[in-house]
Amino acid sequence: RPERVATVAWSNHEVPLALGVTPVGFEKATWGDDDGDGVLPWVAEQLAVLGAPEPVLFDATDSLPFESIANTQPDVILAAYSGLTQEDYDQLSQIAPVVAYPEQPWGTTLEDQILMNATALGLESEGEQLVAKLEGEVAAAMDAHPQLRETTPVFAFFDESDLSQIGVYTPLDPRMGFLLDAGMQQASILEEYAGSDSFYEQISAENPEAFDDVDLIITYGSGDAAVNAALLEKLQADPLLSRIPAIAQGRVVFLGENPIA
């Protein structure tokens, strides 16, 4: 069982933390970090609970900091959910054994990420219990809102400066993949990307009929309801986007500005 655990890429450090193991180092959060300390709030809470020494934060803004990772003297490097290149993998493997994604970069499911990382820690059964716990929480939430199982959502991104394109996250991406795994239905616009290596696609607004079966659009927005309302009005005023039923009827959910979003 490894004693010194380092992780790279998003969220791999959350698996050992959830299992009571504090990594010696993990990647600094650069997306969704509301206070700029490089640590997301739920990670900070768990670090406080475990009361372990503060881990080294790896700055991978430009590339993996191999020297910083090596300096933590890890016994294993967790990267089950990541976009490692073969060169990255080879260099990291000179430092310690590496748990990399099995098939597609950024394509590991939440369940597999937990099980692969937990197994590398010698905590396979604990990882299985964690998966079961999380699946139970999601199932309970869906049971409390059974109508969601009949809902066909799309997680989209709108660039206000160019509404000629609609960004759509594919089933490979956790944003969309999670909703489908939870029991929601897959929109026809996503079917051609199921099983592909792409996590994000730009769809021309000239094909609004492609979104006819979409019940709900989830997108990024503001913590200010008035700002979100103004963006919805802008979408509804667009001659092409207004032909999408979910937009025309206001079935758009704007995530606020917070770490969870």
Side-chain angles (χ1 to χ4, degrees), residues 101-124:
Y101 56 86
E103 295 179 6
Q104 295 174 306
W106 303 114
T108 312
T109 64
L110 174 62
E111 177 184 8
D112 285 346
Q113 178 188 10
I114 292 173
L115 294 178
M116 291 176 66
N117 286 338
T119 299
L121 298 173
L123 299 170
E124 184 175 5

Side-chain angles (χ1 to χ4, degrees), residues 66-145:
F66 297 102
E67 185 174 348
S68 296
I69 296 168
N71 287 342
T72 64
Q73 300 179 306
D75 300 320
V76 69
I77 300 171
L78 305 182
Y81 179 70
S82 69
L84 294 182
T85 65
Q86 185 66 51
E87 183 180 357
D88 292 334
Y89 179 82
D90 292 342
Q91 285 194 254
L92 287 173
S93 295
Q94 295 178 38
I95 300 171
V98 181
V99 179
Y101 56 86
E103 295 179 6
Q104 295 174 306
W106 303 114
T108 312
T109 64
L110 174 62
E111 177 184 8
D112 285 346
Q113 178 188 10
I114 292 173
L115 294 178
M116 291 176 66
N117 286 338
T119 299
L121 298 173
L123 299 170
E124 184 175 5
S125 62
E126 290 86 347
E128 292 172 348
Q129 293 169 23
L130 176 58
V131 168
K133 174 178 178 290
L134 294 174
E135 288 180 343
E137 291 177 359
V138 173
M142 294 294 285
D143 288 342
H145 305 279

Side-chain angles (χ1 to χ4, degrees), residues 193-215:
Y193 303 113
S196 76
D197 293 336
S198 171
F199 78 95
Y200 181 82
E201 291 288 336
Q202 292 272 32
I203 310 298
S204 173
E206 293 183 358
N207 301 309
E209 65 280 356
F211 294 84
D212 279 353
D213 67 337
V214 175
D215 296 320

Side-chain angles (χ1 to χ4, degrees), residues 151-159 163-171 176 185-193 200-219 235 238-252:
T151 300
T152 303
V154 161
F155 203 123
F157 180 82
F158 296 98
D159 180 354
L163 294 180
S164 66
Q165 302 279 332
I166 306 170
V168 171
Y169 294 96
T170 75
M176 194 64 235
Q185 304 302 305
Q186 181 165 279
S188 58
I189 188 70
L190 300 178
E191 289 177 359
E192 63 180 291
Y193 303 113
Y200 181 82
E201 291 288 336
Q202 292 272 32
I203 310 298
S204 173
E206 293 183 358
N207 301 309
E209 65 280 356
F211 294 84
D212 279 353
D213 67 337
V214 175
D215 296 320
L216 181 69
I217 292 176
I218 303 168
T219 188
L235 299 178
D238 185 89
L240 292 174
L241 296 181
S242 61
R243 292 165 53 190
I244 296 175
I247 290 177
Q249 298 167 21
R251 288 182 271 116
V252 181

